[in-house]
Amino acid sequence: MASADPVLAQRPAPPALPVFQRINELSQRQKLSAAAAIAIAIAMLVGVWLWSRSPDYAVLFSNLEERDGGAIVTALQQQNVPYRFAPGGGAILIPSAMVHEVRLRLAAQGLPKGGLVGFELMENQKLGVSQFHEQVNFQRALEGELARTIQSIGTVASARVHLAMPKQSGFLRDEQKPTASVLVNLRPGRTLDPAQVAGVVHLVSSSVPRLANDNVSVIDQNGTLLTTRSDPLRMAGLDATQLTYVRDLEASYIRRIETILAPIVGADNFKAQVTADVDFNQVEQTAETYKPNPSAEQAIRSQQTNEQTTREPGAQGVPGALSNQPPAPATAPITSPDVAGGSGPAGAPLNSNRASTINYELDRTVQHTRQALGQVRRLSVAVIVNQRTETLPNGQTRTVPLTEEESTRLTSLVREAVGYNQARGDSLNVSNAAFAAPNAAVDADVPLWKDPQMLELGKELLKYGVVLLALAFVYFGVVRPLIRNVAPVHQDTDTFDEDGDDDVIVQLNGGPPGLTFDDKLTRAKEVAKSDPKMIANLIKDWMGTNDEGKK
């Protein structure tokens, strides 16, 4: 054997078989495997494409009445809108991109009606309807309109209104007042506060003639009575508005303290709390006073003097004796003048009486006092201030308490800010202490994997990623292996015609690259001279191969 690079000279190989011939040369098992792989690849591509193109479904309507649900489904079928039902049939789902448009279309058709009828019931009155039928239709329409209005409250999912309207009578003693009952179905986790219940009661009572507020009952879906004939808080003397007023008043005092201390010690270096004792007693007082001793300068309002004199002597003698009797009237004519009595001088009165009454102007004071509600009887203020932070020369920090002067200044500021009044018993306590170290800051932002926008973006990227993976799997797992097995193999050949035979193909392996045809031919001749036995065996093999190919 020569040490030179081997050179293989082959006879001209048959031309490459076409693709269909290569497929026919495959075994039956290989053909079935290839067909199954192609079918799986096509099915995978189609499934991924349909999955990526399938829209996201959103809720169109939920908790619908059966009648409204059937009407909505019929309308969706007429509009060729794809729909599906949520698990349990509680909602109708359609593609999210069409939700708003379809809602507007259905609203134009009056859907959903909510299972309630309003005054549109009066639009289709038949001829010859009795008065009783008209009254019943009017009552049904009024109940439906009231229910629709109550359902507009955000807390209420649905509502039913029942009106009991007795027939009017001409006799006052037989007259009956109308009553109403309202059933509200509240949304999960929601409640009606007293103000909202009162609003529902006033809404119903104001919509029905001669209906009083006390004749309206409101209950929820659990059968709990939301209205009472008398408010227990008001019967106990309590009012929710009073509690709200106290909280607002205390909050205003706290804001005053924060406003005055924040620029000095910092917003996070103090805490303040205020407790207000508010007087809600309704007091009315009327007082009428007089001065006991009038002054000398006081004006005389009226004065009356009564003076009486008489010349007749008074009764004398022992009481009951005859000498005490007045003299009998004279029977003889009076011929001489009267003789004066001997008890006094002539012409002087024998008896005198004088009475005098003086009325002065009264110093009278009438005072009517009505105290205002919500007066502050006492304030209790507590403020805690964090210690100061100092930086040491070595760069470390430490906390030091406030000085006496600083504490006094802060106390004075807080006292003036809240309007401290010692006469009414206010108390104020400003303390200085080191605040506890805050916990590790918790990021209040929503994590990236919980952000709705990032979730939507992740879903879209997931779709495209699945499509790319499916394409890569089909290409590298199915298409490329089939191409390798079916497609013809191309070989690098060099063709030469030495004795005029164009069908001789010589393939030279080995040797340095870049050799020309003449170089390769020279090397082939050298190998044939050096090792003719190998060339002879090679020619025998070629001749045997050709004979088998001819056979």
Side-chain angles (χ1 to χ4, degrees):
M1 299 292 293
S3 60
D5 294 337
V7 178
L8 300 178
Q10 300 179 355
R11 294 183 63 83
L17 298 177
V19 175
F20 293 103
Q21 293 180 1
R22 295 294 300 272
I23 294 176
N24 293 331
E25 291 178 358
L26 297 176
S27 64
Q28 188 69 18
R29 184 175 181 180
Q30 291 177 343
K31 292 180 180 179
L32 293 177
S33 300
I38 294 174
I40 293 174
I42 294 175
M44 182 179 295
L45 291 177
V46 173
V48 171
W49 181 77
L50 293 177
W51 174 76
S52 62
R53 295 295 302 273
S54 62
D56 294 332
Y57 279 78
V59 177
L60 178 64
F61 293 109
S62 61
N63 298 326
L64 293 171
E65 298 287 340
E66 294 181 357
R67 181 181 304 176
D68 288 340
I72 291 175
V73 169
T74 302
L76 294 178
Q77 293 175 353
Q78 294 175 354
Q79 298 176 10
N80 294 326
V81 176
Y83 67 91
R84 64 176 61 170
F85 296 100
I92 299 177
L93 308 178
I94 64 172
S96 57
M98 305 175 63
V99 169
H100 302 289
E101 181 182 358
V102 173
R103 283 181 180 175
L104 294 177
R105 293 179 184 176
L106 296 178
Q109 300 179 10
L111 296 175
K113 298 180 180 179
L116 300 173
V117 292
F119 282 113
E120 66 271 9
L121 185 63
M122 309 297 294
E123 298 176 357
N124 299 323
Q125 290 291 335
K126 299 179 180 179
L127 184 62
V129 177
S130 63
Q131 184 179 2
F132 174 77
H133 197 180
E134 290 181 350
Q135 182 65 25
V136 171
N137 289 340
F138 174 77
Q139 182 172 340
R140 289 180 57 196
L142 183 58
E143 291 174 352
E145 293 294 336
L146 289 174
R148 290 176 180 176
T149 305
I150 296 173
Q151 287 179 4
S152 61
I153 301 176
T155 308
V156 180
S158 61
R160 292 290 302 272
V161 179
H162 302 279
L163 299 177
M165 303 175 64
K167 187 177 180 180
Q168 297 183 3
S169 175
F171 300 96
L172 294 178
R173 67 176 61 181
D174 297 335
E175 184 180 7
Q176 296 180 2
K177 299 294 183 180
T179 58
S181 300
V182 181
L183 172 65
V184 291
N185 185 11
L186 304 179
R187 299 186 185 277
R190 301 290 187 89
T191 58
L192 285 176
D193 56 25
Q196 291 176 321
V197 175
V200 173
V201 171
H202 284 279
L203 171 67
V204 177
S205 62
S206 302
S207 303
V208 180
R210 299 181 298 110
L211 177 59
N213 293 338
D214 293 338
N215 293 335
V216 180
S217 300
V218 180
I219 61 174
D220 60 6
Q221 70 273 19
N222 298 323
T224 304
L225 181 64
L226 303 180
T227 56
T228 55
R229 294 294 179 263
S230 57
D231 192 351
L233 290 178
R234 296 186 180 275
M235 291 183 62
L238 300 177
D239 193 352
T241 57
Q242 297 177 359
L243 302 178
T244 304
Y245 173 77
V246 173
R247 288 194 295 266
D248 294 342
L249 182 63
E250 294 173 351
S252 66
Y253 281 114
I254 294 175
R255 285 194 298 269
R256 294 181 186 179
I257 298 174
E258 292 176 349
T259 303
I260 200 67
L261 292 184
I264 300 176
V265 299
D268 298 331
N269 291 325
F270 72 94
K271 297 294 181 181
Q273 289 295 327
V274 177
T275 302
D277 184 7
V278 183
D279 184 10
F280 291 104
N281 295 328
Q282 298 181 359
V283 179
E284 294 185 5
Q285 182 179 4
T286 302
E288 184 174 356
T289 58
Y290 298 89
K291 289 186 177 180
N293 298 318
S295 61
E297 295 81 7
Q298 194 166 2
I300 298 175
R301 182 177 183 181
S302 63
Q303 182 177 3
Q304 181 179 2
T305 303
N306 186 13
E307 184 176 359
Q308 182 179 1
T309 58
T310 179
R311 296 180 180 275
E312 296 181 356
Q316 298 180 358
V318 180
L322 293 178
S323 60
N324 199 24
Q325 297 293 331
T331 57
I334 298 175
T335 58
S336 61
D338 295 337
V339 180
S343 60
L350 299 177
N351 191 6
S352 177
N353 185 12
R354 184 176 181 179
S356 178
T357 303
I358 299 176
N359 294 325
Y360 293 92
E361 286 291 345
L362 299 178
D363 191 0
R364 176 170 172 258
T365 301
V366 179
Q367 184 179 6
H368 181 78
T369 305
R370 182 178 181 180
Q371 296 183 1
L373 292 176
Q375 292 184 351
V376 179
R377 291 186 295 194
R378 186 174 180 271
L379 280 180
S380 298
V381 183
V383 180
I384 182 170
V385 183
N386 191 14
Q387 294 182 353
R388 292 186 293 106
T389 302
E390 291 184 352
T391 304
L392 299 177
N394 57 3
Q396 297 181 354
T397 60
R398 68 174 183 178
T399 59
V400 295
L402 299 179
T403 63
E404 188 68 24
E405 181 182 358
E406 292 174 341
S407 298
T408 304
R409 183 180 60 179
L410 294 179
T411 303
S412 301
L413 291 176
V414 175
R415 181 185 294 111
E416 297 299 330
V418 299
Y420 178 81
N421 188 356
Q422 187 176 5
R424 66 184 180 187
D426 293 353
S427 62
L428 173 62
N429 186 5
V430 178
S431 178
N432 178 227
F435 284 9
N439 297 329
V442 179
D443 190 6
D445 296 337
V446 179
L448 187 63
W449 59 86
K450 294 183 179 180
D451 190 358
Q453 296 181 355
M454 297 303 299
L455 291 177
E456 292 296 331
L457 180 60
K459 291 180 180 179
E460 294 295 329
L461 295 178
L462 179 62
K463 288 183 178 180
Y464 292 113
V466 172
V467 172
L468 292 177
L469 289 177
L471 292 175
F473 174 77
V474 170
Y475 175 74
F476 291 102
V478 178
V479 177
R480 189 173 180 181
L482 289 178
I483 292 176
R484 287 181 176 180
N485 295 330
V486 174
V489 179
H490 297 279
Q491 298 178 350
D492 295 334
T493 60
D494 292 325
T495 306
F496 64 93
D497 186 5
E498 184 176 3
D499 296 329
D501 189 0
D502 296 335
D503 295 335
V504 178
I505 299 176
V506 178
Q507 181 177 358
L508 301 178
N509 295 333
L515 295 177
T516 62
F517 175 77
D518 295 336
D519 296 336
K520 292 180 180 180
L521 182 59
T522 303
R523 290 189 61 186
K525 292 180 178 179
E526 292 177 356
V527 171
K529 291 180 181 181
S530 62
D531 194 357
K533 185 178 180 179
M534 181 186 69
I535 299 300
N537 294 332
L538 181 61
I539 293 174
K540 289 180 181 180
D541 293 338
W542 284 352
M543 293 177 65
T545 304
N546 291 337
D547 294 337
E548 293 178 359
K550 292 178 181 179
K551 291 177 182 178

